[in-house]
Amino acid sequence: MAATPSDSMLALQALTPEALAARIPGLSSAHARKIVSAVHRDLPIGEATFTIRRSVIEAILASTTVPTLECVEEQKSAIDSFVKYGFRTHDGHVIETVRIPLEKKGRFTVCVSSQVGCALACTFCATGRMGLTRNLESWEILEQVRHVRRSLNGGAEKAGHVYGHGHVYGGDAGRVHGVVFQGMGEPMANIERVLEAIFVMGDPSAMAIDMRAITVCTSGIPTGIRRLAREAPKVRLALSLSSARPDVRKSLMPIARAHSLEEIIDASVEHARITGLAPMWAVTLLNGQNDSEEDARALGELVRGFVEKSGKSPRISVIPYNAIAPQDDPYSRTTEEREARFRETLRDSGVHTRKRYSGGGDVDGACGQLAAAQRESLPAPVATT
Ligand code: SF4
């Protein structure tokens, strides 16, 4: 049974050492790091912190809690080591998380949800059909990663890990290398909580995930893209493009009526200039909708313009469509022939696409249309141990 949160209590797993020290009178930064380290290793606070005054420990215990999500579904791919999880929140909603294997054996990226449902109503997305129920709290985002990490570790940290420094993570079964915000919800619409979660993920005393292995995927909200660049400049940006033709994009993604492609590209150029990072652009090919040679030529044109302005080449990921509804699905996957022509036309424009990876297709259908793209598009794993 999941532990429930409380309005008057702080979620301890969502605090960086600085945030914790600022809230607990008498707690030094060094001791705050030890507490945070213990929390993220599932150790009892009292056990490993004997140098901290009892009154300070009591103040922490009196004002904080470590709420959890209830895992109600774990669907393992028969094809490879993709796993889709369903987590029930304390108010009865179910959110989805996907564990994505990276090319390097034993390393995984966790695709997390940032909202219950989504208001953006992209026509090819199952979550878009649900509407928005609420934003997730930062601890709810973090719990998705913590659960996957525990499952890889067999439920506990291995003996011999460096207590208090947080550089050693993962067991023989694998380790969480990165996180991608590409599950349910538009992360830029919940940017406050998403940033809070990112800071805890990247903190060396907390989850110690390399910030360069964290990717935020947006359907195109310029203010969020700019804020991400300023406040988390090591974090990567992915853009769900769908089409480089404005009218086609508007027909697939209603948000495109509020923010033009030009605005989104300007914000992305600014992101690339500030961070020095090339974005990933994802295109889910839908038969007869956005897979023509004209679509490919428009994409080639958009890439050229972006390279001229930013000096960076976006990594283009062309990914297969996973059906969102068995009965009344308005779309179908593009044919092999049309996809080949699309790639060829792009190549003629000087744009190279990544090889499609279709693993995990049996588990990531409902949301995370783009989850498969992560395996091929994330940068090569960076060793952090
Ligand atoms: S694709 Fe993303 S932004 Fe669009 S409706 Fe689905 S969850 Fe929301």
Side-chain angles (χ1 to χ4, degrees), residues 310-341:
S310 69
K312 298 281 169 196
S313 296
R315 288 170 298 132
I316 307 296
S317 205
V318 175
I319 50 183
Y321 173 67
N322 286 317
I324 57 172
Q327 247 85 67
D328 61 339
D329 199 325
Y331 304 119
S332 59
R333 201 180 264 218
T334 192
T335 61
E336 280 184 22
E337 208 184 359
R338 286 177 76 85
E339 183 181 330
R341 211 173 311 129

PDB file of all heavy atoms in Angstrom, residues 310-341:
ATOM      1  N   SER A 310      21.519  28.370 -35.459  1.00  0.00           N
ATOM      2  CA  SER A 310      22.045  27.908 -34.163  1.00  0.00           C
ATOM      3  C   SER A 310      23.445  27.306 -34.243  1.00  0.00           C
ATOM      4  O   SER A 310      24.129  27.171 -33.228  1.00  0.00           O
ATOM      5  CB  SER A 310      21.112  26.851 -33.574  1.00  0.00           C
ATOM      6  OG  SER A 310      21.183  25.668 -34.354  1.00  0.00           O
ATOM      7  N   GLY A 311      23.840  26.885 -35.440  1.00  0.00           N
ATOM      8  CA  GLY A 311      25.133  26.202 -35.567  1.00  0.00           C
ATOM      9  C   GLY A 311      25.069  24.748 -35.109  1.00  0.00           C
ATOM     10  O   GLY A 311      26.086  24.072 -35.021  1.00  0.00           O
ATOM     11  N   LYS A 312      23.883  24.269 -34.785  1.00  0.00           N
ATOM     12  CA  LYS A 312      23.722  22.873 -34.323  1.00  0.00           C
ATOM     13  C   LYS A 312      22.776  22.119 -35.254  1.00  0.00           C
ATOM     14  O   LYS A 312      21.789  22.687 -35.720  1.00  0.00           O
ATOM     15  CB  LYS A 312      23.107  22.843 -32.913  1.00  0.00           C
ATOM     16  CG  LYS A 312      23.951  23.504 -31.856  1.00  0.00           C
ATOM     17  CD  LYS A 312      25.060  22.588 -31.420  1.00  0.00           C
ATOM     18  CE  LYS A 312      26.072  23.329 -30.566  1.00  0.00           C
ATOM     19  NZ  LYS A 312      27.328  22.617 -30.439  1.00  0.00           N
ATOM     20  N   SER A 313      23.075  20.842 -35.475  1.00  0.00           N
ATOM     21  CA  SER A 313      22.183  20.014 -36.305  1.00  0.00           C
ATOM     22  C   SER A 313      21.253  19.207 -35.415  1.00  0.00           C
ATOM     23  O   SER A 313      21.729  18.398 -34.607  1.00  0.00           O
ATOM     24  CB  SER A 313      22.991  19.008 -37.130  1.00  0.00           C
ATOM     25  OG  SER A 313      23.806  19.688 -38.013  1.00  0.00           O
ATOM     26  N   PRO A 314      19.952  19.402 -35.558  1.00  0.00           N
ATOM     27  CA  PRO A 314      19.048  18.577 -34.754  1.00  0.00           C
ATOM     28  C   PRO A 314      19.155  17.112 -35.163  1.00  0.00           C
ATOM     29  O   PRO A 314      19.394  16.814 -36.335  1.00  0.00           O
ATOM     30  CB  PRO A 314      17.653  19.135 -35.089  1.00  0.00           C
ATOM     31  CG  PRO A 314      17.813  19.886 -36.348  1.00  0.00           C
ATOM     32  CD  PRO A 314      19.242  20.322 -36.451  1.00  0.00           C
ATOM     33  N   ARG A 315      19.033  16.227 -34.176  1.00  0.00           N
ATOM     34  CA  ARG A 315      19.025  14.796 -34.502  1.00  0.00           C
ATOM     35  C   ARG A 315      17.590  14.430 -34.835  1.00  0.00           C
ATOM     36  O   ARG A 315      16.690  14.624 -34.022  1.00  0.00           O
ATOM     37  CB  ARG A 315      19.546  13.998 -33.304  1.00  0.00           C
ATOM     38  CG  ARG A 315      21.048  14.184 -33.110  1.00  0.00           C
ATOM     39  CD  ARG A 315      21.546  13.601 -31.805  1.00  0.00           C
ATOM     40  NE  ARG A 315      20.931  14.248 -30.663  1.00  0.00           N
ATOM     41  CZ  ARG A 315      20.386  13.618 -29.642  1.00  0.00           C
ATOM     42  NH1 ARG A 315      20.381  12.308 -29.611  1.00  0.00           N
ATOM     43  NH2 ARG A 315      19.853  14.275 -28.638  1.00  0.00           N
ATOM     44  N   ILE A 316      17.382  13.955 -36.045  1.00  0.00           N
ATOM     45  CA  ILE A 316      16.014  13.663 -36.487  1.00  0.00           C
ATOM     46  C   ILE A 316      15.686  12.205 -36.226  1.00  0.00           C
ATOM     47  O   ILE A 316      16.412  11.307 -36.636  1.00  0.00           O
ATOM     48  CB  ILE A 316      15.860  13.938 -38.008  1.00  0.00           C
ATOM     49  CG1 ILE A 316      16.327  15.357 -38.347  1.00  0.00           C
ATOM     50  CG2 ILE A 316      14.416  13.711 -38.448  1.00  0.00           C
ATOM     51  CD1 ILE A 316      15.520  16.461 -37.724  1.00  0.00           C
ATOM     52  N   SER A 317      14.588  12.002 -35.536  1.00  0.00           N
ATOM     53  CA  SER A 317      14.161  10.641 -35.256  1.00  0.00           C
ATOM     54  C   SER A 317      12.802  10.390 -35.884  1.00  0.00           C
ATOM     55  O   SER A 317      11.814  11.046 -35.539  1.00  0.00           O
ATOM     56  CB  SER A 317      14.091  10.463 -33.742  1.00  0.00           C
ATOM     57  OG  SER A 317      14.241   9.125 -33.433  1.00  0.00           O
ATOM     58  N   VAL A 318      12.785   9.511 -36.861  1.00  0.00           N
ATOM     59  CA  VAL A 318      11.530   9.150 -37.521  1.00  0.00           C
ATOM     60  C   VAL A 318      11.060   7.859 -36.864  1.00  0.00           C
ATOM     61  O   VAL A 318      11.763   6.856 -36.886  1.00  0.00           O
ATOM     62  CB  VAL A 318      11.751   8.938 -39.035  1.00  0.00           C
ATOM     63  CG1 VAL A 318      10.479   8.454 -39.707  1.00  0.00           C
ATOM     64  CG2 VAL A 318      12.225  10.244 -39.672  1.00  0.00           C
ATOM     65  N   ILE A 319       9.875   7.921 -36.256  1.00  0.00           N
ATOM     66  CA  ILE A 319       9.476   6.770 -35.445  1.00  0.00           C
ATOM     67  C   ILE A 319       8.121   6.194 -35.868  1.00  0.00           C
ATOM     68  O   ILE A 319       7.291   6.901 -36.430  1.00  0.00           O
ATOM     69  CB  ILE A 319       9.461   7.118 -33.941  1.00  0.00           C
ATOM     70  CG1 ILE A 319       8.661   8.392 -33.718  1.00  0.00           C
ATOM     71  CG2 ILE A 319      10.855   7.253 -33.398  1.00  0.00           C
ATOM     72  CD1 ILE A 319       8.670   8.820 -32.281  1.00  0.00           C
ATOM     73  N   PRO A 320       7.942   4.920 -35.591  1.00  0.00           N
ATOM     74  CA  PRO A 320       6.696   4.285 -36.017  1.00  0.00           C
ATOM     75  C   PRO A 320       5.531   4.691 -35.122  1.00  0.00           C
ATOM     76  O   PRO A 320       5.714   4.972 -33.942  1.00  0.00           O
ATOM     77  CB  PRO A 320       6.998   2.796 -35.867  1.00  0.00           C
ATOM     78  CG  PRO A 320       8.054   2.728 -34.814  1.00  0.00           C
ATOM     79  CD  PRO A 320       8.841   3.995 -34.890  1.00  0.00           C
ATOM     80  N   TYR A 321       4.372   4.680 -35.698  1.00  0.00           N
ATOM     81  CA  TYR A 321       3.154   5.011 -34.945  1.00  0.00           C
ATOM     82  C   TYR A 321       2.633   3.753 -34.262  1.00  0.00           C
ATOM     83  O   TYR A 321       2.522   2.702 -34.882  1.00  0.00           O
ATOM     84  CB  TYR A 321       2.108   5.564 -35.917  1.00  0.00           C
ATOM     85  CG  TYR A 321       0.749   5.787 -35.315  1.00  0.00           C
ATOM     86  CD1 TYR A 321       0.565   6.771 -34.345  1.00  0.00           C
ATOM     87  CD2 TYR A 321      -0.346   5.022 -35.703  1.00  0.00           C
ATOM     88  CE1 TYR A 321      -0.680   6.984 -33.780  1.00  0.00           C
ATOM     89  CE2 TYR A 321      -1.603   5.234 -35.149  1.00  0.00           C
ATOM     90  CZ  TYR A 321      -1.757   6.215 -34.184  1.00  0.00           C
ATOM     91  OH  TYR A 321      -2.992   6.415 -33.640  1.00  0.00           O
ATOM     92  N   ASN A 322       2.310   3.891 -32.982  1.00  0.00           N
ATOM     93  CA  ASN A 322       1.660   2.796 -32.267  1.00  0.00           C
ATOM     94  C   ASN A 322       0.183   3.129 -32.131  1.00  0.00           C
ATOM     95  O   ASN A 322      -0.151   4.220 -31.646  1.00  0.00           O
ATOM     96  CB  ASN A 322       2.266   2.623 -30.864  1.00  0.00           C
ATOM     97  CG  ASN A 322       3.640   1.991 -30.933  1.00  0.00           C
ATOM     98  OD1 ASN A 322       3.865   1.050 -31.682  1.00  0.00           O
ATOM     99  ND2 ASN A 322       4.565   2.527 -30.157  1.00  0.00           N
ATOM    100  N   ALA A 323      -0.671   2.236 -32.543  1.00  0.00           N
ATOM    101  CA  ALA A 323      -2.119   2.514 -32.528  1.00  0.00           C
ATOM    102  C   ALA A 323      -2.576   2.968 -31.148  1.00  0.00           C
ATOM    103  O   ALA A 323      -2.153   2.420 -30.126  1.00  0.00           O
ATOM    104  CB  ALA A 323      -2.879   1.250 -32.934  1.00  0.00           C
ATOM    105  N   ILE A 324      -3.446   4.004 -31.119  1.00  0.00           N
ATOM    106  CA  ILE A 324      -3.909   4.513 -29.817  1.00  0.00           C
ATOM    107  C   ILE A 324      -5.260   3.941 -29.422  1.00  0.00           C
ATOM    108  O   ILE A 324      -5.649   4.027 -28.278  1.00  0.00           O
ATOM    109  CB  ILE A 324      -3.981   6.064 -29.789  1.00  0.00           C
ATOM    110  CG1 ILE A 324      -4.888   6.601 -30.909  1.00  0.00           C
ATOM    111  CG2 ILE A 324      -2.601   6.663 -29.854  1.00  0.00           C
ATOM    112  CD1 ILE A 324      -5.155   8.098 -30.807  1.00  0.00           C
ATOM    113  N   ALA A 325      -5.989   3.411 -30.377  1.00  0.00           N
ATOM    114  CA  ALA A 325      -7.295   2.832 -30.046  1.00  0.00           C
ATOM    115  C   ALA A 325      -7.583   1.697 -31.024  1.00  0.00           C
ATOM    116  O   ALA A 325      -7.424   1.868 -32.222  1.00  0.00           O
ATOM    117  CB  ALA A 325      -8.376   3.900 -30.155  1.00  0.00           C
ATOM    118  N   PRO A 326      -7.993   0.544 -30.517  1.00  0.00           N
ATOM    119  CA  PRO A 326      -8.218  -0.587 -31.408  1.00  0.00           C
ATOM    120  C   PRO A 326      -9.373  -0.353 -32.387  1.00  0.00           C
ATOM    121  O   PRO A 326      -9.333  -0.777 -33.530  1.00  0.00           O
ATOM    122  CB  PRO A 326      -8.517  -1.750 -30.457  1.00  0.00           C
ATOM    123  CG  PRO A 326      -8.638  -1.184 -29.089  1.00  0.00           C
ATOM    124  CD  PRO A 326      -8.251   0.256 -29.113  1.00  0.00           C
ATOM    125  N   GLN A 327     -10.418   0.356 -31.941  1.00  0.00           N
ATOM    126  CA  GLN A 327     -11.601   0.527 -32.787  1.00  0.00           C
ATOM    127  C   GLN A 327     -11.564   1.781 -33.687  1.00  0.00           C
ATOM    128  O   GLN A 327     -11.522   1.690 -34.896  1.00  0.00           O
ATOM    129  CB  GLN A 327     -12.865   0.590 -31.903  1.00  0.00           C
ATOM    130  CG  GLN A 327     -13.769  -0.599 -32.114  1.00  0.00           C
ATOM    131  CD  GLN A 327     -13.317  -1.765 -31.236  1.00  0.00           C
ATOM    132  OE1 GLN A 327     -13.409  -1.670 -30.030  1.00  0.00           O
ATOM    133  NE2 GLN A 327     -12.832  -2.842 -31.810  1.00  0.00           N
ATOM    134  N   ASP A 328     -11.560   2.944 -33.042  1.00  0.00           N
ATOM    135  CA  ASP A 328     -11.743   4.166 -33.837  1.00  0.00           C
ATOM    136  C   ASP A 328     -10.456   4.976 -33.960  1.00  0.00           C
ATOM    137  O   ASP A 328     -10.441   6.183 -33.747  1.00  0.00           O
ATOM    138  CB  ASP A 328     -12.864   5.027 -33.226  1.00  0.00           C
ATOM    139  CG  ASP A 328     -12.526   5.454 -31.801  1.00  0.00           C
ATOM    140  OD1 ASP A 328     -11.677   4.788 -31.175  1.00  0.00           O
ATOM    141  OD2 ASP A 328     -13.085   6.463 -31.339  1.00  0.00           O
ATOM    142  N   ASP A 329      -9.393   4.302 -34.315  1.00  0.00           N
ATOM    143  CA  ASP A 329      -8.130   5.013 -34.488  1.00  0.00           C
ATOM    144  C   ASP A 329      -8.165   5.769 -35.821  1.00  0.00           C
ATOM    145  O   ASP A 329      -8.359   5.150 -36.872  1.00  0.00           O
ATOM    146  CB  ASP A 329      -6.969   4.005 -34.469  1.00  0.00           C
ATOM    147  CG  ASP A 329      -5.648   4.681 -34.191  1.00  0.00           C
ATOM    148  OD1 ASP A 329      -5.479   5.823 -34.656  1.00  0.00           O
ATOM    149  OD2 ASP A 329      -4.796   4.079 -33.513  1.00  0.00           O
ATOM    150  N   PRO A 330      -7.980   7.080 -35.788  1.00  0.00           N
ATOM    151  CA  PRO A 330      -8.048   7.824 -37.050  1.00  0.00           C
ATOM    152  C   PRO A 330      -6.793   7.633 -37.906  1.00  0.00           C
ATOM    153  O   PRO A 330      -6.778   8.006 -39.073  1.00  0.00           O
ATOM    154  CB  PRO A 330      -8.153   9.282 -36.584  1.00  0.00           C
ATOM    155  CG  PRO A 330      -7.574   9.300 -35.203  1.00  0.00           C
ATOM    156  CD  PRO A 330      -7.770   7.943 -34.624  1.00  0.00           C
ATOM    157  N   TYR A 331      -5.767   7.055 -37.326  1.00  0.00           N
ATOM    158  CA  TYR A 331      -4.487   6.957 -38.043  1.00  0.00           C
ATOM    159  C   TYR A 331      -4.006   5.520 -38.148  1.00  0.00           C
ATOM    160  O   TYR A 331      -4.426   4.658 -37.396  1.00  0.00           O
ATOM    161  CB  TYR A 331      -3.407   7.766 -37.316  1.00  0.00           C
ATOM    162  CG  TYR A 331      -3.773   9.216 -37.124  1.00  0.00           C
ATOM    163  CD1 TYR A 331      -3.880   9.755 -35.843  1.00  0.00           C
ATOM    164  CD2 TYR A 331      -4.018  10.037 -38.217  1.00  0.00           C
ATOM    165  CE1 TYR A 331      -4.234  11.085 -35.668  1.00  0.00           C
ATOM    166  CE2 TYR A 331      -4.374  11.362 -38.045  1.00  0.00           C
ATOM    167  CZ  TYR A 331      -4.478  11.880 -36.777  1.00  0.00           C
ATOM    168  OH  TYR A 331      -4.829  13.183 -36.605  1.00  0.00           O
ATOM    169  N   SER A 332      -3.069   5.349 -39.064  1.00  0.00           N
ATOM    170  CA  SER A 332      -2.377   4.058 -39.135  1.00  0.00           C
ATOM    171  C   SER A 332      -0.904   4.324 -39.419  1.00  0.00           C
ATOM    172  O   SER A 332      -0.532   5.425 -39.862  1.00  0.00           O
ATOM    173  CB  SER A 332      -2.989   3.175 -40.225  1.00  0.00           C
ATOM    174  OG  SER A 332      -2.882   3.834 -41.466  1.00  0.00           O
ATOM    175  N   ARG A 333      -0.105   3.339 -39.150  1.00  0.00           N
ATOM    176  CA  ARG A 333       1.334   3.428 -39.362  1.00  0.00           C
ATOM    177  C   ARG A 333       1.638   3.612 -40.853  1.00  0.00           C
ATOM    178  O   ARG A 333       0.950   3.007 -41.694  1.00  0.00           O
ATOM    179  CB  ARG A 333       1.950   2.115 -38.864  1.00  0.00           C
ATOM    180  CG  ARG A 333       3.402   2.180 -38.542  1.00  0.00           C
ATOM    181  CD  ARG A 333       3.853   0.805 -38.068  1.00  0.00           C
ATOM    182  NE  ARG A 333       3.849   0.739 -36.610  1.00  0.00           N
ATOM    183  CZ  ARG A 333       4.776   0.097 -35.906  1.00  0.00           C
ATOM    184  NH1 ARG A 333       5.749  -0.556 -36.508  1.00  0.00           N
ATOM    185  NH2 ARG A 333       4.736   0.098 -34.598  1.00  0.00           N
ATOM    186  N   THR A 334       2.613   4.405 -41.180  1.00  0.00           N
ATOM    187  CA  THR A 334       2.970   4.579 -42.581  1.00  0.00           C
ATOM    188  C   THR A 334       3.468   3.243 -43.157  1.00  0.00           C
ATOM    189  O   THR A 334       3.899   2.360 -42.407  1.00  0.00           O
ATOM    190  CB  THR A 334       4.047   5.674 -42.729  1.00  0.00           C
ATOM    191  OG1 THR A 334       4.172   6.004 -44.098  1.00  0.00           O
ATOM    192  CG2 THR A 334       5.407   5.218 -42.208  1.00  0.00           C
ATOM    193  N   THR A 335       3.428   3.128 -44.476  1.00  0.00           N
ATOM    194  CA  THR A 335       3.909   1.877 -45.078  1.00  0.00           C
ATOM    195  C   THR A 335       5.443   1.935 -45.193  1.00  0.00           C
ATOM    196  O   THR A 335       6.034   3.023 -45.167  1.00  0.00           O
ATOM    197  CB  THR A 335       3.339   1.705 -46.493  1.00  0.00           C
ATOM    198  OG1 THR A 335       3.803   2.804 -47.286  1.00  0.00           O
ATOM    199  CG2 THR A 335       1.828   1.677 -46.483  1.00  0.00           C
ATOM    200  N   GLU A 336       6.043   0.772 -45.343  1.00  0.00           N
ATOM    201  CA  GLU A 336       7.511   0.724 -45.475  1.00  0.00           C
ATOM    202  C   GLU A 336       7.974   1.513 -46.683  1.00  0.00           C
ATOM    203  O   GLU A 336       8.981   2.201 -46.667  1.00  0.00           O
ATOM    204  CB  GLU A 336       7.982  -0.721 -45.584  1.00  0.00           C
ATOM    205  CG  GLU A 336       8.049  -1.385 -44.226  1.00  0.00           C
ATOM    206  CD  GLU A 336       8.609  -2.783 -44.274  1.00  0.00           C
ATOM    207  OE1 GLU A 336       9.326  -3.118 -45.239  1.00  0.00           O
ATOM    208  OE2 GLU A 336       8.309  -3.542 -43.331  1.00  0.00           O
ATOM    209  N   GLU A 337       7.178   1.413 -47.743  1.00  0.00           N
ATOM    210  CA  GLU A 337       7.520   2.100 -48.987  1.00  0.00           C
ATOM    211  C   GLU A 337       7.516   3.622 -48.805  1.00  0.00           C
ATOM    212  O   GLU A 337       8.456   4.310 -49.191  1.00  0.00           O
ATOM    213  CB  GLU A 337       6.467   1.701 -50.022  1.00  0.00           C
ATOM    214  CG  GLU A 337       6.968   1.728 -51.424  1.00  0.00           C
ATOM    215  CD  GLU A 337       5.826   1.418 -52.386  1.00  0.00           C
ATOM    216  OE1 GLU A 337       4.682   1.174 -51.935  1.00  0.00           O
ATOM    217  OE2 GLU A 337       6.094   1.435 -53.589  1.00  0.00           O
ATOM    218  N   ARG A 338       6.450   4.131 -48.182  1.00  0.00           N
ATOM    219  CA  ARG A 338       6.342   5.585 -47.982  1.00  0.00           C
ATOM    220  C   ARG A 338       7.433   6.076 -47.024  1.00  0.00           C
ATOM    221  O   ARG A 338       8.011   7.137 -47.204  1.00  0.00           O
ATOM    222  CB  ARG A 338       4.952   5.952 -47.436  1.00  0.00           C
ATOM    223  CG  ARG A 338       3.866   5.859 -48.494  1.00  0.00           C
ATOM    224  CD  ARG A 338       2.497   6.153 -47.901  1.00  0.00           C
ATOM    225  NE  ARG A 338       2.268   7.574 -47.662  1.00  0.00           N
ATOM    226  CZ  ARG A 338       1.827   8.430 -48.576  1.00  0.00           C
ATOM    227  NH1 ARG A 338       1.566   8.008 -49.794  1.00  0.00           N
ATOM    228  NH2 ARG A 338       1.627   9.690 -48.287  1.00  0.00           N
ATOM    229  N   GLU A 339       7.701   5.261 -46.012  1.00  0.00           N
ATOM    230  CA  GLU A 339       8.734   5.654 -45.054  1.00  0.00           C
ATOM    231  C   GLU A 339      10.109   5.724 -45.743  1.00  0.00           C
ATOM    232  O   GLU A 339      10.885   6.655 -45.534  1.00  0.00           O
ATOM    233  CB  GLU A 339       8.790   4.673 -43.885  1.00  0.00           C
ATOM    234  CG  GLU A 339       9.811   5.108 -42.848  1.00  0.00           C
ATOM    235  CD  GLU A 339       9.928   4.165 -41.664  1.00  0.00           C
ATOM    236  OE1 GLU A 339       8.935   3.521 -41.303  1.00  0.00           O
ATOM    237  OE2 GLU A 339      11.037   4.092 -41.107  1.00  0.00           O
ATOM    238  N   ALA A 340      10.368   4.727 -46.611  1.00  0.00           N
ATOM    239  CA  ALA A 340      11.654   4.694 -47.312  1.00  0.00           C
ATOM    240  C   ALA A 340      11.792   5.931 -48.203  1.00  0.00           C
ATOM    241  O   ALA A 340      12.851   6.575 -48.254  1.00  0.00           O
ATOM    242  CB  ALA A 340      11.766   3.424 -48.131  1.00  0.00           C
ATOM    243  N   ARG A 341      10.686   6.301 -48.867  1.00  0.00           N
ATOM    244  CA  ARG A 341      10.725   7.473 -49.748  1.00  0.00           C
ATOM    245  C   ARG A 341      10.927   8.748 -48.930  1.00  0.00           C
ATOM    246  O   ARG A 341      11.640   9.658 -49.322  1.00  0.00           O
ATOM    247  CB  ARG A 341       9.436   7.557 -50.583  1.00  0.00           C
ATOM    248  CG  ARG A 341       9.699   8.199 -51.942  1.00  0.00           C
ATOM    249  CD  ARG A 341       8.515   8.151 -52.876  1.00  0.00           C
ATOM    250  NE  ARG A 341       7.890   6.849 -52.994  1.00  0.00           N
ATOM    251  CZ  ARG A 341       6.579   6.638 -52.849  1.00  0.00           C
ATOM    252  NH1 ARG A 341       5.761   7.609 -52.575  1.00  0.00           N
ATOM    253  NH2 ARG A 341       6.087   5.428 -52.988  1.00  0.00           N
TER     254      ARG A 341
END
